[in-house]
Amino acid sequence: MGFADLSIVEIAEDHHLSVDNVFRLCDRLQISYKTPQTRLALEDVKAIIELIAQEGGPPSS
């Protein structure tokens, strides 16, 4: 399994989400993590980004 070299915090920043929102997505997708700096596998990053896109991106304020 390859690594995308992206951490949870980087995904959150790139998609204008809170780290807690990305943690919730990881939990929904059953993706293991320990900290916001956890580096994720390429397949996991793709799944998270796909879910963000399906849900319409970051929540509106």
Side-chain angles (χ1 to χ4, degrees):
M1 190 179 295
F3 279 83
D5 200 33
L6 284 175
S7 67
I8 289 172
V9 72
E10 290 169 325
I11 294 169
E13 289 171 357
D14 289 349
H15 294 279
H16 309 289
L17 299 169
S18 71
V19 170
D20 285 337
N21 283 339
V22 179
F23 282 158
R24 281 192 273 286
L25 295 174
C26 288
D27 291 341
R28 279 179 56 189
L29 295 166
Q30 298 180 346
I31 296 169
S32 298
Y33 61 88
K34 291 186 181 189
T35 70
Q37 290 75 33
T38 299
R39 297 263 179 221
L40 300 174
L42 179 60
E43 293 80 6
D44 293 341
V45 172
K46 286 180 181 178
I48 291 168
I49 292 171
E50 184 176 319
L51 194 54
I52 291 168
Q54 288 174 0
E55 293 183 353
S60 301
S61 301

